[in-house]
Amino acid sequence: MMFNLEKEIKDWKKSLRKNQSLEDGYIAELESHLRDEIEKEISLGLNEEEAFIKAKTSIGSSEKLASEYYKSDTKSISGKPSWEAPFWMPDLFFNYLKTGLRIFNRYKGFSFINLFGLIIGITSCALIAIYIVNELSYDKHHINSENIYRVAVKRSYPNQEIKSAATQRPFADYLRSNFPEVINAARVSKERAGNVIVKNGEKSFYENHLIFSDNNLFEIFTIPFIKGDPEAALSDPFSIVISEETANKYFGESNPIGKILSLKFKGGNEFFDYYISGVFENHENIKSHLNYDLIATYKNHPYVGSPDEQDNWEGLNLYTYIQLQSGLDIKKIEEKLNKKAIDKIALMLREELNISYEEYTAAGNGFSYFLQPLTSIHLYSDLSDELEINGDILYVYLFSVIAVMVLVLAGINFMNLSIARYSTRLKEIAVRKVFGSQRKQLIVQFLSESFVISFLALILSVIFVPVVLPYINSITGLDLSFNLLNYFLIIIGLSVFVVMTGLLSNLYPALYLSSNSPYFLLKGILFWGSSKKNRITNGMVVFQFVISISLIICTLVIAEQNKYLLNKKLGFEKDQVLIIEGSESVLGKSESFRNSLENYSDILSVTNSQAVPGNSIGITRLYIKDKPENKGSSVEWLTVGFNYLETFGLKLISGRDFNEEIGSDSMAVILNETAVKSLNLENPVGEIVLYEDRPYTIIGVLEDFHFSSLHRKIQPMAIFGPDPYNQNRPNQILALRIKKTNVQETINYIRERWGEFTQEQQFIFSFLDKKINSLYQRDLKTRNLFAFFTIDAILIGCVGLFGLSSFAIRRKTKDIGTRKVLGATTYQIIILVSSEFIKLVLTAYLVAVPISYFSMTLWLNEFAYSISLKIDLFIIGAVISILLTTLTVGYQTLTTALSNPIKALKYE
Amino acid sequence: MISKNLAAASTKPLILTILRGGENYGYQIIQRVKELSGGQLEWADGMLYPVLHKLEKDGFVSTSWKLSDEGRRRKYYQITDLGRKELEKDMKQWMSVHSVMLKLWGNNPAFES
């Protein structure tokens, strides 16, 4: 293209005009200078273009010029032009802020709706983030945590597999001395809550976090000592290390070292003195799957301290933690471990089952060790004998997804509302343009308006979160702790989100509106008239409702499944059953205690047993006598006293219950249906099964019942009678069925009788139904959390819909007015306006149904027993969604429909 | 090259002195400064104009728009009486500074030693 000098000069002048201190006179003078210079350069032999560029450069930058002119005009001392912000601030920052606040003030309703939605979104997201950070922080506080593993056991049986977190007592020593890769190994035995009373003089407490261990524990784990020497703290028999808090509890301010704490174990009646050899720091804010307030020497444990017990390979009694050299291949270590430890496994099997390892594996069984990284125990481990109910990585993922969804919902809301609001501000934008606003300035102005709202929301949420956290904890049953440092990081993350939302939600309208000519904007013929933009907004609304409706349906399904879990017929009567543990010493002493209970009128029946529904029980293998072709079956088993069936309301299909009058019942067994099936017996009653080579006659068959939680399928089960052979495994749990009336008096009566027979053993009781319900604690937590976030999502969705519909209705005011004048009824108007939104919600519903169906099918698969996804839940979901939409849109629709058409038509 | 500060300080007497020799317009003034200083004194050309504007505001110069032979509009600057007085004041100050420097340096300016 040819160089056009005049055009270039014109453009140059235009660029000068952008600076507000350059007045026309100045520019004219500068132009004449430019022309003189060009002329001179041309006379010196340059062409027009070169001359223009040279002249332009010699005059210098327009910004500098403008600022110099300003200085010569102003009286201010710094001489800084008012439009030039400090270097660290974007141009016109305060002006934008001011406008932002003014807009906020002018559109109060809109702004609050927007603010509200954002606050909910950010707050929930922060809460989820706290939850996730909490879950991920388990067991990370140990210096060696990367190299610490827990050894666990996998036992396979022909028809099932059981993984246990517990190992044998001598295993830690064995590992330390036989594997050079194992730097250190420690064993941890934890007493169950309520098992041990700790006493110092008058002060005595049940300690729920008492563990027994060895000195090695302090080398593996990071447990900072305040007093005492960690290397020798547990060397002496009967020494104990306690936390600072525990020390304060028992000894106040005085130095506890060398003092005595007395421990009494459940079932025992003797106090054992432990002297305090160390105090360690409290572990507040530290999350661990292993919690301890007191650590005592395991080596000389009063009950299992004998060399025989300590070297007992039979039972899986305690937890073994090892520290490995770093950088090892764990799979290889496990292989090596299992190969080398076969003789020890064999030892265990011989003692337990009296068969050789070869016989054991030949029958389709298996026994192997595996290693669990310490830091993954909380989220990934769900073995039997876990120390606590662990978390689940699935929920971490699930809630991460929900957090992102809630944020997206809030972001979409923000965007939709902003777009809607701009449609009422076209004139303002036009006027700004006419007065010389540049496109860039308009964009920055829009963005700063949205930043005003989003940052306000951020600040309010940041204040809000610590306030609501305790409530969330109590609603959901979670134990989220508030850590300022973590929270700070979360806030930084959220700020990034807020900036993104502010930017993204307004960038599109800002770019679009600022690009249009003021003429079109003033005429209002642009933008909102076109259906294309509506399609985008509608798409967003549909997307929001897909999320909300999916969550609604999921919550309904989860609630339904929980109801099912808690109310399903379990095959036994869980109500009105009182459980008293640790009763063997009382029952063993005399029959009269039992008789005194049986004779009390409000006690319907009394039994004792090794286990009650909800307990975990052992597995053994039964064979049929004289039928070598029958391979037998592995069964879960327990021993019970008389009246067990009656007390728990178990139903016999055939045969009879144990009978005190029949002496041979000590060698009798009752099976459940599943056991009969897996043993392939057609006429089970009267058959004889072999249990540990001893013959037991089947006297009855029970209808299947859910001994363990509904997460597990019903297993084959054998119930042995009161057998002298099993005396070393006493039936220590007392269970009583009592009348519904006078419950408190009944309990008092039992307590009194109990006190007559034993002083040492505490009377601790629980109700079976509570015990059963506690099996579903985690499921209930999930339901509560889900419900919480569903309400969240619904709120955000409704808030957005409310704002959007109010703008939509305002656009339609004239339309509605005209229709009313022409004779439309209120009813017709309501249908007209709401139908638009109902259509959107129904579209969303159609998308949400398969999504929620799929994810809930997946979730229900986690349960062995679950509801089937019936259509009614989906219908309820639809009804709720439509109801919510109607309610949200309804009020405004109604007021518009009822209003005087004249007003509507006058509306401008 | 003369330092920025010194150049800025000398601009006012420089311009006023040039205008004392008769009215002139911006472009010519800049050319004169360039000629006289042999290129030692140079600003971005445009920067002269805010200075002229300031002189006008202070009343040291008066201005009038004229049409040149080529038909170009030019803003001419004339020195006022106030301007002459200001220039005299400036000259005295510059000369006293000059004489101090001269005494200090003698005829043997620092850069020769």
Side-chain angles (χ1 to χ4, degrees), chain A residues 212-269:
Chain A
F212 288 86
S213 189
D214 312 308
N215 275 327
N216 315 62
L217 185 76
F218 306 121
E219 286 166 38
I220 299 175
F221 289 161
T222 306
I223 303 174
F225 269 52
I226 299 174
K227 295 189 176 97
D229 172 17
E231 269 176 45
L234 297 180
S235 301
D236 297 333
F238 295 104
S239 48
I240 192 167
V241 184
I242 58 178
S243 73
E244 208 183 348
E245 195 187 337
T246 312
N248 285 336
K249 192 163 80 178
Y250 288 98
F251 302 101
E253 292 296 300
S254 64
N255 185 358
I257 298 284
K259 296 222 169 95
I260 302 288
L261 281 178
S262 309
L263 274 59
K264 197 183 86 171
F265 296 80
K266 187 178 206 166
N269 38 25

Side-chain angles (χ1 to χ4, degrees), chain A residues 655-699:
Chain A
R656 58 177 179 84
D657 191 2
F658 299 109
N659 192 330
E660 237 163 318
E661 314 286 309
I662 303 173
S664 64
D665 274 4
S666 65
M667 293 304 282
V669 65
I670 296 177
L671 301 179
N672 70 353
E673 282 176 275
T674 311
V676 170
K677 258 178 241 149
S678 74
L679 280 168
N680 264 329
L681 294 173
E682 280 184 17
N683 293 308
V685 177
E687 293 268 7
I688 295 172
V689 293
L690 295 174
Y691 160 56
E692 295 189 6
D693 285 341
R694 295 163 57 88
Y696 288 81
T697 313
I698 302 173
I699 56 164

Side-chain angles (χ1 to χ4, degrees), chain A residues 154-175:
Chain A
K154 184 172 91 179
R155 302 195 67 169
S156 329
Y157 301 92
N159 46 13
Q160 70 170 326
E161 196 177 272
I162 289 186
K163 289 179 176 175
S164 166
T167 42
Q168 300 101 320
R169 286 196 195 107
F171 195 54
D173 265 339
Y174 173 75
L175 287 175

